[in-house]
Amino acid sequence: MGAGVGAGRRRRGTVAGLFGAAVLVAGTVLTSGGAYAQPAPGDHSAGRGEDDDRDGGKRDDHGKGDHGKGKRPGEKGTKRPAEPPAGGPSGAASAPSAGARPAPASPAVLASVEAGAATALPTTQGLQQALAAALGDRTLGTVTFAVADASAGQLLYGSGENTPATPASTTKLATSIAALSLIPSDTRLTTRVVKGANPGEITLVGGGDPTLTALPADQVQIGGLPADADTAPASLDALARQTAAALRAAGTTAVTLDYDLSMYAGNPQHKNHDAANIALVVPLMVDEGKVDPKSREEAPPRVADPAGAAAESFAALLRAEGVTVDGKARPAAAPAAATAPVLGRVDSPTIARLVERLLTTSDNTLAEAIARQAAVAAHQPASFEGAATAVKQELARLGVPMTGVVLDDGSGLHPDNAIPPAVLVQLLALAASDRHPALRPVLTGLPIAGFTGTLGKRFGAGSGAADAAGLVRAKTGSLSGVNTLAGTVVDADGRLLAFAVMTRTPAPADTARAAMDRIVARLAACGCH
């Protein structure tokens, strides 16, 4: 069967069709074991209604990408509506907001291996014929791509597939795979308060959790929706209440406060730091260092000193509990002793849930935090350099071909990162493999075309790719002049394919993205035999 498919073989863009073709192979299987924090299982994550990526700071003509301050090109000041969350591997998605399209909600994220085995693989000739017109779109500029069978990772078709290209935010796939391979999926990131060396001294110890929130529980949202029990961030207020109760029990009514940032090493400022797309990367912050913790902007203003701001927020909460905090919170002169008595602790969602969140929303600050957790697990310095080393070493250990791969960060903001398309599809095949069930959150975290996260406003009516809505789950990427898309698609025969499309073009970002979407839509529309 070629590019044209009979009506009886096509399930164009319908939710029922998507999940008729996608049969559960394996849900997310969370491993347990050695830990940095308290393990506990989780189920699903919430998505975010974004149609752009969070790689760059401004429009591409400003040299910082096409994504800044919540504005799309040509839509200055426009705020996008919230989209419903992506259903997780074993939990139901939260109810969609009024007027929003419901996302496909099903435990299925993989095409059945058994069904796929009975279906012939797409052929190189069939793929070439199906994609030729879409790939010839001049707005793509320089384009390289790869298409593989997701169940086995076998490369089926490509052009420049082994040529390194700027991955932008598809770098987050590498970060996520390495982190989930190195760290038990049920690990949580812990923020603690401990007694200091002297009476009346307490230390707030950063544990690398940028999602720690100072908001009341009823004001916390993820992707515009209330958080559920599995995705709700740790509460700074709860930490203050625990600490105040412990101090009262000990007869302490007045303290001095310092904060410990010793978990991370190196320069906390990203090369492309703009105090919007990413905060300073420090192990202590609340609400990802946002000036306005309720902001729905994709690149919101960040505070200049996230750790100091978090400590001052904590001091204010202690005072509200009746504890006198003398003076201003200050950085600790030395790391807190490992044996220091703990006065309070709060834990983040599991690493699996955090990975889903960072992929769905393309969260740069969270991605850099997870990259540093990978560095700690790999016994590397928790810095940009150490995290990049840890990710590359772990991917090599997993058998990923690393020729041409250059990583300088975990988020993809760095313009010198380089990954060939063939490597991106290998990463996706690893996540789909039944040999690596702990990597499944990489697939469940991918935005769904036309429904969630950074694909929420793509693959829409009039795009030329609408028939693939709901059939594609993919990570987006964008920097100045660079647009990438890598993910999975269910083809007309129900087989799951992995793909990566990488472009460099002077064309407007939205135009280039639409052209890439049409390439993927052609994959969804054919069996390509």
Side-chain angles (χ1 to χ4, degrees), residues 350-374:
T350 64
I351 287 288
R353 301 291 79 80
L354 293 176
V355 164
E356 287 180 329
R357 175 172 167 173
L358 79 87
L359 290 170
T360 301
T361 65
S362 199
D363 191 317
N364 295 318
T365 300
L366 182 53
E368 296 298 348
I370 295 302
R372 278 155 181 73
Q373 294 297 324

Side-chain angles (χ1 to χ4, degrees), residues 137-348:
D137 191 323
R138 293 184 178 181
T139 62
L140 292 167
T142 301
V143 58
T144 56
F145 68 93
V147 181
D149 173 27
S151 66
Q154 177 186 348
L155 185 69
L156 302 174
Y157 181 43
S159 175
E161 65 271 19
N162 294 313
T163 302
T166 304
S169 206
T170 55
T171 300
K172 292 180 175 74
L173 293 172
T175 300
S176 299
I177 290 283
L180 290 170
S181 181
L182 283 162
I183 306 167
S185 296
D186 53 1
T187 299
R188 298 174 185 266
L189 311 183
T190 299
T191 306
R192 298 177 294 132
V193 179
V194 301
K195 287 186 177 181
N198 300 310
E201 293 179 348
I202 62 173
T203 300
L204 177 60
V205 183
D209 177 15
T211 68
L212 177 69
T213 185
L215 290 172
D218 62 355
Q219 296 181 27
V220 174
Q221 293 191 341
I222 300 175
L225 296 171
D228 60 25
D230 294 315
T231 61
S235 167
L236 192 69
D237 181 61
L239 184 61
R241 284 187 276 108
Q242 290 179 32
T243 302
L247 290 171
R248 284 193 296 268
T252 302
T253 59
V255 297
T256 59
L257 173 66
D258 62 16
Y259 50 95
D260 180 358
L261 304 181
S262 61
M263 183 179 194
Y264 288 0
N267 188 344
Q269 184 167 305
H270 192 281
K271 179 178 179 178
N272 273 11
H273 178 81
D274 61 359
N277 281 281
I278 190 168
L280 286 180
V281 184
V282 291
L284 175 65
M285 65 178 73
V286 292
D287 298 299
E288 300 189 272
K290 297 176 184 177
V291 172
D292 175 7
K294 297 181 183 178
S295 174
R296 292 294 315 282
E297 292 185 60
E298 293 155 1
R302 314 282 178 156
V303 298
D305 178 11
E312 284 302 315
S313 293
F314 181 68
L317 290 168
L318 281 180
R319 293 184 182 107
E321 292 292 324
V323 177
T324 298
V325 181
D326 295 327
K328 184 178 177 64
R330 62 192 186 279
T339 56
V342 176
L343 301 173
R345 61 172 287 168
V346 290
D347 300 309
S348 74

Side-chain angles (χ1 to χ4, degrees), residues 310-479:
E312 284 302 315
S313 293
F314 181 68
L317 290 168
L318 281 180
R319 293 184 182 107
E321 292 292 324
V323 177
T324 298
V325 181
D326 295 327
K328 184 178 177 64
R330 62 192 186 279
T339 56
V342 176
L343 301 173
R345 61 172 287 168
V346 290
D347 300 309
S348 74
T350 64
I351 287 288
R353 301 291 79 80
L354 293 176
V355 164
E356 287 180 329
R357 175 172 167 173
L358 79 87
L359 290 170
T360 301
T361 65
S362 199
D363 191 317
N364 295 318
T365 300
L366 182 53
E368 296 298 348
I370 295 302
R372 278 155 181 73
Q373 294 297 324
V376 171
H379 307 291
Q380 294 288 336
S383 62
F384 286 107
E385 298 80 7
T389 296
V391 170
K392 288 185 288 187
Q393 288 180 346
E394 186 61 14
L395 295 183
R397 191 191 68 81
L398 290 169
V400 177
M402 300 300 288
T403 301
V405 174
V406 177
L407 296 178
D408 288 298
D409 69 6
S411 62
L413 271 173
H414 202 293
D416 293 338
N417 288 352
I419 303 178
V423 171
L424 290 175
V425 296
Q426 285 299 310
L427 293 175
L428 292 160
L430 273 176
S433 170
D434 58 7
R435 300 188 307 276
H436 300 284
L439 305 183
R440 203 72 77 241
V442 171
L443 296 190
T444 57
L446 293 175
I448 301 173
F451 290 97
T452 62
T454 56
L455 288 183
K457 294 295 183 180
R458 290 170 63 168
F459 292 84
S463 68
D467 286 349
L471 300 174
V472 176
R473 300 182 78 119
K475 183 70 202 76
T476 55
S478 56
L479 286 172

